[in-house]
Amino acid sequence: MRISVVHPRELGASETERWRLLQNADPALDSPFLSPEFTVETGRVREQARVAVLYDGPDIVGFFPFERHPLGIGRPVAAGLTDAQGMVHAKDIEVDPYALMKACGLGVFEFDHLIAGQPLVPARHSRHPSPVIDLSDGYEAYVEVLKQVSGKTYKSTAYKSRKLQRDFGELRHDYATTDESALRTLLDWKTDQYRRTGRADRFSRPWILELVQNLLRVNTPDFGGSLDMIYVDGRPVAGHFGLRTATTLAGWFPAYDPAFAKYSPGLIHHLAMAEKAAGAGIRLIDMGRGEKEYKEKLKTGELWVTEGRLARPTPGAGMHWLVRVPVRKARGTVLANSMLRETADLALKTFGKIRTSIAS
């Protein structure tokens, strides 16, 4: 097997078309984060982005998108943002992951959302659920399932939607909009949410902001940015920006105006989004790994993703182990224990309140 490593901007039309064909041939790869367009757009704002192109004779049989950092540290493209990571490859190929890493100039490859069925899984790793909404039988069928598994949530959300409209006016839903002012409103809400909850503001990083703005403008049958907002009496209430393939919508950045918090605007919006998405041909909404109450209320099932690291015996790999592995293990311990997780969440929110009061 021959491996060629290129920057995403060096991929030609024939390579991206082959990538798309390989992706479409395997339902497990149906995530927009694994689409060629996502890697190409990331490459526009991340010079460290790379793609290993795998050849069997003259035929391309796989693509491995990654970022190469100093000391041979490798991460998925747009690491920290992606809810699906891994290779896009033909089903019948055999890949030596360590030979692949060597060809890519990596001593370590670290991941936290590696999808199932990958040849990159190390002996020691952890698996985590990624909640999903199954829309394969349409929105009405989903509602019937939701009534059975989370009937109280559905009834209370429907009631709050009616009350919201009684109090403020008729609800309007703009699905698949390209309104850049709506995106700015959504990202402002998200920034405020990060600060209130003590999290780092992702949009303070210029490359992330630029990437999201660029992805809003991408719209092809196989891939696109997906922005939608709900309004009452013309006032934006809640929204979401994510990515889609032809049949899968990846949840990414949901947010709402906290002035409407008592109406559960996030749940109102997610149900409205699911209805519109199903009408547009979406068959699965992947809400992404993470312990969130709204995901538990809305999900119909789960996919599984893997967290871990592959390492070759290099000095960079040794340094990476000392710096990253103990931190990752401690984080995993906290997230796996509900009491520790709630304590950490409360501490972050307290920090957020202090930070907000100082800033004001």
Side-chain angles (χ1 to χ4, degrees):
M1 181 174 291
R2 180 168 60 90
I3 300 173
S4 174
V5 179
V6 299
H7 190 275
R9 62 171 165 262
E10 299 175 61
L11 295 172
S14 61
E15 285 87 2
T16 57
E17 181 60 27
R18 176 60 176 165
W19 186 327
R20 188 172 296 108
L21 288 172
L22 290 173
Q23 183 184 18
N24 291 342
D26 186 349
L29 300 174
D30 188 21
S31 168
F33 293 115
L34 299 176
S35 296
E37 293 89 347
F38 181 73
T39 292
V40 169
E41 290 298 327
T42 300
R44 298 184 194 279
V45 297
R46 299 283 280 175
E47 186 59 33
Q48 56 267 62
R50 296 289 186 274
V51 179
V53 185
L54 285 66
Y55 294 84
D56 183 4
D59 299 324
I60 296 177
V61 293
F63 296 88
F64 174 52
F66 67 99
E67 290 184 2
R68 186 164 58 203
H69 295 268
L71 301 178
I73 307 302
R75 298 188 179 97
V77 289
L81 294 179
T82 53
D83 288 334
Q85 301 160 355
M87 293 178 57
V88 174
H89 59 89
K91 292 183 179 180
D92 56 349
I93 68 167
E94 295 184 3
V95 178
D96 180 344
Y98 298 101
L100 174 61
M101 290 173 61
K102 184 176 181 180
C104 294
L106 302 179
V108 174
F109 180 63
E110 181 182 32
F111 50 85
D112 55 8
H113 288 78
L114 193 71
I115 65 168
Q118 289 282 304
L120 304 174
V121 179
R124 300 180 64 180
H125 61 273
S126 58
R127 296 174 72 241
H128 305 272
S130 185
V132 299
I133 296 173
D134 183 359
L135 297 172
S136 57
D137 293 325
Y139 178 72
E140 294 303 324
Y142 165 60
V143 168
E144 291 305 313
V145 172
L146 191 61
K147 287 178 179 178
Q148 294 176 21
V149 301
S150 192
K152 184 177 179 180
T153 295
Y154 179 77
K155 290 179 181 178
S156 65
T157 302
Y159 167 77
K160 289 179 180 180
S161 178
R162 293 191 297 270
K163 181 170 175 53
L164 174 65
Q165 294 180 74
R166 286 197 302 269
D167 292 348
F168 291 95
E170 184 178 358
L171 187 145
R172 186 183 93 244
H173 187 185
D174 286 353
Y175 182 77
T177 177
T178 57
D179 185 347
E180 294 189 6
S181 66
L183 179 64
R184 286 194 296 272
T185 296
L186 177 69
L187 299 188
D188 286 344
W189 289 340
K190 200 67 182 177
T191 289
D192 179 62
Q193 177 189 338
Y194 287 141
R195 291 174 178 170
R196 283 186 287 107
T197 56
R199 271 72 174 179
D201 178 14
R202 288 176 171 176
F203 301 110
S204 64
R205 303 180 190 179
W207 74 266
I208 295 180
L209 182 59
E210 185 178 356
L211 176 62
V212 169
Q213 291 170 335
N214 290 346
L215 288 168
L216 176 65
R217 305 183 186 104
V218 181
N219 182 26
T220 73
D222 297 293
F223 177 90
S226 181
L227 171 66
D228 65 297
M229 300 279 282
I230 58 171
Y231 301 80
V232 287
D233 194 29
R235 179 176 174 180
V237 173
H240 168 261
F241 180 74
L243 301 174
R244 61 154 187 85
T245 63
T247 56
T248 294
L249 174 63
W252 211 11
F253 296 116
Y256 60 83
D257 184 342
F260 296 96
K262 70 177 184 179
Y263 299 95
S264 298
L267 289 174
I268 293 173
H269 168 263
H270 266 75
L271 288 179
M273 181 178 72
E275 182 175 15
K276 292 284 189 178
I282 296 297
R283 295 294 173 259
L284 188 79
I285 298 177
D286 185 350
M287 293 183 284
R289 172 188 168 186
E291 299 287 342
K292 299 292 183 182
E293 185 178 4
Y294 79 91
K295 297 180 183 181
E296 292 300 309
K297 290 180 176 180
L298 297 176
K299 73 177 184 179
T300 59
E302 296 167 338
L303 302 176
W304 289 87
V305 295
T306 299
E307 179 173 354
R309 70 194 285 269
L310 281 166
R312 297 169 53 237
T314 66
M319 293 183 64
H320 179 269
W321 192 97
L322 289 172
V323 173
R324 294 284 293 170
V325 172
V327 174
R328 192 176 72 236
K329 287 182 177 179
R331 176 178 172 272
T333 299
V334 170
L335 292 177
N337 185 294
S338 60
M339 183 177 295
L340 292 176
R341 186 171 63 248
E342 290 170 7
T343 301
D345 189 58
L346 178 60
L348 284 170
K349 289 179 178 177
T350 302
F351 169 70
K353 290 179 180 179
I354 295 172
R355 183 170 61 181
T356 300
S357 64
I358 292 174
S360 59

